Structure formats: C-alpha cells, structure tokens
Amino acid sequence: MKVAVLDHTATLGGAELALARTLEALPATAPELSVVLFAEGPLAARLRRAGLRVGVLPLREEVSETTRHEAGGAIAALRGGLAVTPFALRLARLLRAEGVDVVYTTSLKSDLIGLVAARLAGAKLVWHIHDRISEDYLPAPVARMLRRLARRAPDLVIANSYATAATISGAQRLRVIHPGLTPEQIGPAPRAGDSTRTTAPVVGLVGRISPTKGQLELVRAAPAILEAHPTTRFRLIGEPMFGAQAYADEVIAEAQRLGVADRIEVTGFIEAITAEMASLTVCVHASPTPEPFGQVVAEAMAQGTPVVATKAGGVPEIFDDPEADGPLGWLVEPGDVHGLAEAVVDALSNPAEGSERAVRAWESVTRRFPISETARLLNEAWWETVNVSLSERGGG
Ligand code: GLC
C-alpha cells in the first residue's frame, strides 16, 4: 500500500510537529509513504532527515499564506477555489503516477485540495483534523463547508481530541487519535517534594505569541501573582507568527501600563524547549479560545513541571484520567484573569502540592500519550481505510 501525506505548510506549527513525531514513530508494518508539501520549509528538512521521501509542489503564495481568519467569505472562497484548481489537477496527476492508495491530509487547506486530488486520482482519503471546526475558530462559511464535507467526503476523519471530534460530530467515519509524546519529550520521573525551591519562581507560557494563546491574560494576571510572590519572573516563550506582531506589541504595552514589564521576558523561539519547560516553576497554558488539543500541556507534564491551564477544548482530556488519584494540575476558566492569578499563586504557595500534582501528571501523560500508540493507531487507520486489517496482512 502507498500513502501520500499532504500538508500545505512546512512551517513547524503544532499540527506539523505532531505529524513529524508520528511519522518518525511508525511501526515496521507501515505502508510505503511519500510526503507532498505545498511549500518548502523546516518540516520538509525534518522529515527528510528522518529518511522520508519528501516532495514539494509549491502552491501559489497568495493561496497558502492566507490565514484561517482571512480565508472567510464566499467570494474569497470562490477565488481561492479557482486559484487552486490547476494545482489540484497537477497533484492528482502526481498521485496517480505514483499509484497512491490513500491520501492522508493534515491541514485544512490540504484537506480541501487533497479531497479533489484524491477523487481524481481514485485514491481513498483520510483527513486528520487538528483544528476545531467551529465558528469561534474559523470564519463561519469555512466552518460550515468543512463540517458538511467532513460528514461524507473523506473515507475516514481522524480528530486530535474528543473536543475537535465534537465540532464535526456528524461525520460518518470519525475517530480520535491523540497526539503523542516522543521519548525525547519525556523527562525523568519527578519525585514528590522535588520542587522545594530556593530560587525565585519562574512562570512560563510556551507558544507562539498570539491572541489565541493568552499571553495578554498572563500579563494581566502578573500584578496579583507578584503581590503574593514578589520575586516571580515571567517568560513568554515563543515568537509572533502569522502576522501577530501587533498583538505582541499590545502585550508589551500592557505590561508597561501595569508596571510589570521588567518582570517579563519575551524569549523568542527556543529550540531546546523541553529543557526550558523543565526549568520552569509553573508552566501556564492561558489560551482564552479553546485549544484543539494542546500538546504543550502534555509536554510540560512530561517534564514534571506543575501546570496551570485553561479548561477548554482538548485540554480537559489531558487532565482527565480516571486512574489518577487526584488532580494533575490546575484548571481555570478561559479568559478569567483573576482565576488564572489565583491558581498560579496557589501553585507557587504550595510547592508540595504542586510537586504531588506534577508527579501524578507525569505518570498519567507518559502512560496515556506515548507516541508509539499514536503511530500504531494511525497505521491501523490507513490499513483499515483500504479494508485490510493488520492481522489479515500478517504483520509483514
Ligand atoms: C494544532 C492544534 C493544537 C494541537 C496540535 C496537534 O496545532 O492547534 O491544539 O495540539 O494541532 O494536534
């Protein structure tokens, strides 16, 4: 069997990181893969390093660069549709020439283009959805169209969380596969009492600087946190992407207005992110909009760092472990600055409790989200799509 993996971008966003981690962890029974990206970039380099065959079929810049929110409107959709038609035809020819059996798409733009190309090439289609298909996340007409298509068009839809799946609940063939943690993302098991801290607390938020990630909320919570713990330092770990510079400026202006700017460092992109997470006293996930899954939450837990996170989207699934004998961290209402400050203060004021929760969280996420399981389920999904169960195939 041959599977073609399609993504419109080669920028390493959350979905692309999840894709790379999963492809790198596929079992020996995996089909023959070829990756087709619609742009050159770091994802292409990373997958090539992992020994995968990666081709780049460049999509016209103006189509691939539209952000989710600019993509709205019937006219824009029509214009976009017309612009990509020749591209979809070229892609279909390529897929047919390669004898591809399954087209596997991992971004919304590749879902749509891949749908046309897969049908023309006579291949099965698997959508892997990493975005909530909802109006608070996408322009309404785009969300409606995607929901309608998700219902019938693909042979299988995979969602990265039950929260994401709920946004396309009408889909006929739908299953959830959570993103997984690679061995490199898992730090040594923390022990209760580990964090009897002697140095000043460091509170960090990991993620690109964007209104959807809630850096502004953390800055607004900073004065109350500093009142209780005056030596606290804050780190905003990430950089503005996809035109979010204005928001980054707003975050800094707000910090200045609140008189906390000297306590807050915007680090920019940090390559050694696991070490950075491990060094935080508390890791905050402040997304005011529901996060489809929230890999950084699981990743911080896998580093043994206490986590305060907003309770929306896929994040509660990370926190919800029936086998755990207590909370895995702190959950707060999205957008609630006061609640966020309170939870961070609570975590900083009770390091013993923080470390107990961190121990539990580490045990829980490493048990529930290993990358090997994500890869196993994805492999199974591909084979099932062509109606071959792995046992029938004989595991060779
Ligand atoms: C997207 C989502 C994020 C999720 C990731 C992996 O980036 O926004 O919530 O963790 O995909 O599925």
Side-chain angles (χ1 to χ4, degrees):
M1 183 192 8
K2 281 194 183 172
V3 173
V5 179
L6 309 186
D7 198 333
H8 79 280
T9 173
T11 307
L12 287 173
E16 287 68 36
L17 286 168
L19 171 69
R21 289 168 186 152
T22 311
L23 296 186
E24 287 160 7
L26 283 169
T29 54
E32 189 182 332
L33 291 186
S34 64
V35 182
V36 182
L37 304 176
F38 304 169
E40 193 54 73
L43 175 65
R46 173 159 175 179
L47 294 178
R48 284 187 190 115
R49 267 203 306 280
L52 285 148
R53 203 152 59 84
V54 181
V56 174
L57 195 62
L59 182 58
R60 274 197 6 234
E61 295 277 289
E62 60 269 35
V63 182
S64 64
E65 297 280 296
T66 27
T67 68
R68 285 202 307 266
H69 292 279
E70 288 160 358
I75 306 235
L78 186 64
R79 212 185 299 129
L82 289 177
V84 301
T85 305
F87 180 81
L89 291 173
R90 265 199 297 153
L91 180 58
R93 271 198 299 278
L94 181 86
L95 297 174
R96 207 187 342 229
E98 294 220 353
V100 166
D101 302 288
V102 176
V103 171
Y104 167 72
T105 58
T106 56
S107 64
L108 297 180
K109 281 184 193 117
S110 67
D111 292 343
L112 296 175
I113 295 172
L115 166 62
V116 178
R119 288 300 166 253
L120 290 172
K124 301 273 187 184
L125 177 66
V126 178
W127 277 7
H128 197 144
I129 307 258
H130 294 270
D131 297 290
R132 293 173 55 263
I133 310 302
S134 95
E135 280 71 7
D136 62 20
Y137 201 72
L138 294 164
V142 176
R144 269 199 303 275
M145 172 184 65
L146 284 165
R147 265 201 304 270
R148 204 169 319 122
L149 288 173
R151 229 168 272 153
R152 285 173 183 284
D155 296 281
L156 177 68
V157 179
I158 299 170
N160 66 347
S161 69
Y162 291 98
T164 295
T167 67
I168 40 170
S169 56
Q172 284 181 343
R173 288 159 298 253
L174 175 62
R175 77 177 60 164
V176 172
I177 303 181
H178 286 125
L181 293 162
T182 65
E184 299 75 45
Q185 287 176 288
I186 299 175
R191 283 165 316 177
D194 261 3
S195 74
T196 25
R197 195 185 53 240
T198 49
T199 51
V202 184
V203 173
L205 189 158
V206 180
R208 68 192 152 81
I209 315 283
S210 150
T212 60
K213 301 291 180 194
Q215 282 87 1
L216 198 56
E217 281 76 3
L218 180 57
V219 163
R220 289 187 174 144
I225 298 168
L226 284 164
E227 206 179 308
H229 296 276
T231 58
T232 308
R233 287 183 298 120
F234 297 86
R235 285 169 77 73
L236 304 181
I237 302 146
E239 61 181 352
M241 279 165 72
F242 311 125
Q245 188 54 50
Y247 176 75
D249 295 343
E250 189 188 344
V251 169
I252 290 167
E254 185 72 351
Q256 281 159 351
R257 193 181 68 81
L258 294 169
V260 297
D262 61 330
R263 316 299 308 173
I264 295 176
E265 189 185 344
V266 182
T267 68
F269 179 79
I270 288 188
E271 181 82 44
I273 196 65
T274 49
E276 174 72 31
M277 281 177 165
S279 72
L280 299 173
T281 318
V282 171
C283 187
V284 170
H285 172 86
S287 299
T289 28
E291 187 71 40
F293 176 71
Q295 291 178 106
V296 288
V297 172
E299 195 173 358
M301 288 177 169
Q303 288 303 318
T305 302
V307 176
V308 172
T310 47
K311 188 177 167 182
V315 171
E317 290 166 43
I318 303 175
F319 273 71
D320 180 23
D321 178 3
E323 284 179 41
D325 60 359
L328 305 188
W330 281 260
L331 277 176
V332 300
E333 290 306 320
D336 176 7
V337 167
H338 180 73
L340 177 63
E342 238 175 33
V344 173
V345 168
D346 196 30
L348 295 179
S349 306
N350 302 294
E353 177 64 26
S355 100
E356 254 173 56
R357 293 188 190 197
V359 167
R360 227 180 262 133
W362 185 92
E363 189 282 322
S364 177
V365 295
T366 55
R367 167 169 44 79
R368 290 183 298 138
F369 303 116
I371 193 69
S372 53
E373 183 62 4
T374 307
R376 185 185 72 77
L377 291 170
L378 179 61
N379 185 38
E380 206 170 82
W382 287 334
W383 284 103
E384 283 175 23
T385 302
V386 290
N387 284 318
V388 184
S389 78
L390 267 176
S391 53
E392 268 172 71
R393 202 186 155 250

